[in-house]
């Protein structure tokens, strides 16, 4: 399709903010996907082009978390492998399954997730760590499930990873953020390869939006490093509200 300056003016500023939010708490797709839809792009093109810009921003965020020592590769590397398996399966499943069911399921679960974030202290205070083996097993299951979800539907994956890794696997917040980025980057790249092969990625718009996403990710990682958990919890709550609004729009309008 032919691109106009309006496409760039609508998409790029919103994708910048999506990169900032995604670097802190995940869920940048809740902002970037509507941005592409507002620009009037076809759905498959939206998903494919968003994967390009998201992968660029997530790459920078992952690098910065690695540079700051937030990535525990003994945990993150095996998780990345399971994320590839899960996202590949999820992407193929989405071709034959009705996504309406999972949207209703997420809408039902969101209030419980919001209550969990409000009441749980794992995002503000470190829970007693499990053994390395138990942590790895739990993280692998989480990475596999997140990969399937991200390949099948996607938005909110980073937020769910933050909640599950911190709440269920008792991963420290800094390492939780780093592991989340490694898993999310893996699922983004795996999906991007599929969409590039399918010819539904608008490279000029995706690359331009990707630069804005990188800028947002850079600012977001600096805010996370400076403010830590105090900044994460309210951002996650905002993302969950946006996610609920997006699901309601998809299902009822």
């Amino acid at each position: 399709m032919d691109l106009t300056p309006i496409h760039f003016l609508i998409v790029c500023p919103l994708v910048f903010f999506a990169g900032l939010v995604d670097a802190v708490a995940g869920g940048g797709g809740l902002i970037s996907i509507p941005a592409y839809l507002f620009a009037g792009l076809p759905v498959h093109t939206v998903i494919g082009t968003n994967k390009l810009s998201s992968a660029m921003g997530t790459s920078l965020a992952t690098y910065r978390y690695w540079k700051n020592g937030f990535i525990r590769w003994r945990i993150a590397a095996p998780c990345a492998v399971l994320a590839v398996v899960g996202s590949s399966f999820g992407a193929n499943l989405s071709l034959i399954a009705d996504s309406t069911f999972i949207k209703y399921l997420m809408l039902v679960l969101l209030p419980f997730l919001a209550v969990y974030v409000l009441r749980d202290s794992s995002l503000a205070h470190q829970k007693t760590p499990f053994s390395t083996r138990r942590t790895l097993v739990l993280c692998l299951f989480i990475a596999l499930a997140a990969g399937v979800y991200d390949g099948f539907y996607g938005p909110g994956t980073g937020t769910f990873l933050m909640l599950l890794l911190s709440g269920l696997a008792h991963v420290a917040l800094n390492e939780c953020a780093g592991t989340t980025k490694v898993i999310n980057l893996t699922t983004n790249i795996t999906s991007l390869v599929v969409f590039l092969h399918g010819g539904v990625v608008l490279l000029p718009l995706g690359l331009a939006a990707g630069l804005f996403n990188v800028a947002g990710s850079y600012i977001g990682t600096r805010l996370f490093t400076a403010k830590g958990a105090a900044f994460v919890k309210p951002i996650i709550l905002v993302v969950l509200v946006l996610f609920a609004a997006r699901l309601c729009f998809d299902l009822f309008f």
Side-chain angles (χ1 to χ4, degrees), residues 61-72:
T62 304
Y63 168 75
R64 287 189 60 82
Y65 283 132
W66 167 74
K67 187 177 179 181
N68 287 319
F70 293 169
I71 298 177
R72 186 181 175 189

Side-chain angles (χ1 to χ4, degrees), residues 17 21 27 30-31 110 237-247:
F17 184 62
V21 170
L30 306 177
I31 300 168
L110 280 174
L237 289 172
V238 170
V239 169
L240 290 177
V241 171
L242 290 174
F243 193 12
R246 178 66 195 174
L247 284 173

Side-chain angles (χ1 to χ4, degrees), residues 91-203:
N92 284 283
L93 184 63
S94 69
L95 297 176
I96 59 174
D98 184 2
S99 63
T100 302
F101 170 76
I102 197 170
K103 290 181 180 180
Y104 277 113
L105 180 61
M106 286 293 102
L107 196 58
V108 171
L109 291 177
L110 280 174
F112 297 97
L113 287 171
V115 171
Y116 175 82
V117 174
L118 287 171
R119 296 185 59 183
D120 191 71
S121 61
S122 62
L123 291 174
H125 304 288
Q126 172 59 37
K127 290 186 175 181
T128 303
F130 294 134
S131 67
T132 300
R133 182 177 180 179
R134 184 177 180 182
T135 299
L136 177 59
V137 170
L138 289 170
C139 288
L140 288 175
F141 277 112
I142 291 169
L144 181 63
V148 172
Y149 171 72
D150 197 39
F152 184 80
Y153 183 56
T157 301
T159 303
F160 298 145
L161 281 167
M162 287 284 289
L163 291 172
L164 293 172
L165 290 172
S166 63
L168 294 183
H170 291 199
V171 178
L173 183 63
N174 288 347
E175 291 183 3
C176 178
T179 304
T180 291
K181 286 303 137 196
V182 171
I183 296 172
N184 219 171
L185 177 61
T186 303
T187 58
N188 278 337
I189 292 176
T190 302
S191 301
L192 176 59
V193 170
V194 174
F195 287 116
L196 283 170
H197 186 263
V200 295
V201 180
L202 292 176
L203 290 175

